Amino acid sequence: LMAGMMKRAVAVQGDFNAQGNANTLWAFASLGKQPGDDLVAGLEARALVVRHAFNPPNIANTLWAFVTLGRQPDRALLEGLTDRALVVRHAFSEKDIGNTLWAICFLSILSPVVVCRLVNALELPIAALAAGELDVQLGQQLHQFFVACEVDKGLCTGMPASILALKETLGPACLAAFIGIPLQSSWSKQQVSQTLRGIHLLVEDEVRCPRSGYTIDMWVHGGPVLQQSAEDRRTNGWAVEFDGPMHFMACRAPTGETLIKRHHIQLLGYTLVSVPFWEWDRVCEAGGCEAGGSRELYMRNKLHLSTITRAGSGSIMPSSVVVGSW
């Protein structure tokens, strides 16, 4: 069914109006289905043609959809939507603002100058949020935006002072909404934690990052916690995330939400280790009666590779992490 719909969308995308264009991207993102590159290219080209008809929900939903799909839109489209947002800025609802600011957390990775211009265009409606009550979802989205403004220097530099000041007013309520998200546990996550303990590493489960409010599935380190400063704990250990099915699209590409968290965790100075659920399942199934040894070898290699990737960080690798072949 999805293949047929995608084929049909490719055929008629040249006839889409602004609403149809935005709705198509939003539908794929909401279903967790990655559209084909040809369809995305066609929708981007069409959106550029009809961008002058985009209303605030069209703009916000388009940006939200791209980011949910883990995609960076074409720069020309992002600039075009930013120009359009300036024209219709007074019609942005709180929901539109929330979706737009959340998307900026990801879009700023490649286009900090453009998204700063977008925030400047929306300065008045964003600042007006301080006068009302926030719903839970908007509070969560604003919190991640505030985190992005703190850790992403390219984004922070171009922010209006009034937007940065919002954190003082709304920050506590947004943090409360964010940390109120229920934690999800699983047997596989517990297995990962037990495996790390099995190679004589110290593991703390479900650790809350004090600067960002993010929960790290497993904080792993090789020395006594009480003897380490907060900086040492970030640089001399690993933030291990067990990424279950909800962290990925149907095609196993990470969702935008997952990518935003990874980006922020790394900017905060942690050495991030992602354990995708299908890799873990494969290790457990292939190991058979020797699954414990296979899991330990897999995790040793994961930790080792993440430390190498973080070039120049000065991270210390405990002697219990020995490289093997898996």
Side-chain angles (χ1 to χ4, degrees):
L1 176 60
M2 288 300 299
M5 292 175 62
M6 194 180 306
K7 184 176 180 180
R8 180 59 180 164
V10 171
V12 301
Q13 61 192 4
D15 298 325
F16 282 160
N17 59 18
Q19 186 74 44
N21 202 289
N23 284 355
T24 301
L25 278 169
W26 177 87
F28 276 99
S30 298
L31 291 170
K33 302 291 186 181
Q34 192 70 249
D37 292 342
D38 52 347
L39 177 57
V40 173
L43 290 172
E44 283 186 319
R46 183 60 182 169
L48 272 174
V49 174
V50 299
R51 66 187 184 279
H52 300 298
F54 270 58
N55 60 26
N58 297 156
I59 296 171
N61 288 344
T62 295
L63 296 178
W64 176 88
F66 268 106
V67 173
T68 298
L69 293 167
R71 288 177 173 266
Q72 291 275 355
D74 181 80
R75 185 181 178 89
L77 175 58
L78 186 56
E79 290 177 340
L81 293 181
T82 296
D83 292 340
R84 180 60 181 165
L86 180 62
V87 175
V88 297
R89 62 189 182 278
H90 297 299
F92 269 74
S93 68
E94 289 188 354
K95 182 177 181 180
D96 299 330
I97 292 172
N99 284 340
T100 300
L101 294 182
W102 177 80
I104 282 172
C105 295
F106 180 71
L107 299 175
S108 64
I109 297 173
L110 294 184
S111 304
V113 175
V114 180
V115 297
C116 284
R117 197 158 63 83
L118 176 56
V119 175
N120 276 272
L122 298 176
E123 180 178 5
L124 292 179
I126 293 172
L129 294 175
E133 293 187 7
L134 305 178
D135 65 34
V136 174
Q137 182 180 13
L138 178 57
Q140 294 167 353
Q141 291 173 321
L142 282 176
H143 175 75
Q144 287 188 280
F145 174 71
F146 291 148
V147 171
C149 288
E150 179 182 350
V151 301
D152 191 333
K153 301 307 180 185
L155 186 60
C156 179
T157 302
M159 282 295 108
S162 63
I163 304 303
L164 296 177
L166 270 183
K167 184 176 181 180
E168 300 300 320
T169 306
L170 301 177
C174 294
L175 174 60
F178 188 74
I179 65 177
I181 300 173
L183 299 178
Q184 296 183 345
S185 188
S186 68
W187 170 237
S188 294
K189 186 190 293 188
Q190 294 173 29
Q191 280 185 317
V192 174
S193 180
Q194 292 169 3
T195 299
L196 290 165
R197 288 180 170 88
I199 55 178
H200 310 295
L201 294 171
L202 300 179
V203 181
E204 295 178 76
D205 295 307
E206 309 294 357
V207 174
R208 183 79 65 182
C209 171
R211 284 185 63 192
S212 67
Y214 281 115
T215 298
I216 297 170
D217 288 344
M218 285 149 275
W219 175 241
V220 183
H221 38 90
V225 178
L226 295 178
Q227 298 177 14
Q228 298 183 36
S229 67
E231 180 64 22
D232 287 339
R233 294 181 69 196
R234 282 198 301 274
T235 58
N236 298 338
W238 298 270
V240 179
E241 289 280 289
F242 178 78
D243 291 332
M246 294 297 293
H247 292 266
F248 299 94
M249 310 293 291
C251 63
R252 293 185 174 176
T255 64
E257 183 175 0
T258 300
L259 292 171
I260 289 172
K261 181 178 181 180
R262 289 179 181 177
H263 182 56
H264 287 171
I265 290 294
Q266 290 173 317
L267 287 179
L268 284 160
Y270 294 97
T271 301
L272 179 66
V273 179
S274 171
V275 180
F277 72 94
W278 68 85
E279 287 188 5
W280 188 252
D281 289 346
R282 188 171 70 243
V283 173
C284 295
E285 291 169 2
C289 295
E290 303 298 325
S294 297
R295 291 195 294 261
E296 289 183 3
L297 183 56
Y298 169 82
M299 287 310 306
R300 285 194 182 100
N301 285 334
K302 275 284 186 178
L303 299 178
H304 177 68
L305 290 172
S306 68
T307 305
I308 292 176
T309 300
R310 188 174 176 178
S313 68
S315 296
I316 298 173
M317 185 185 304
S319 59
S320 55
V321 180
V322 180
V323 183
S325 59
W326 171 80

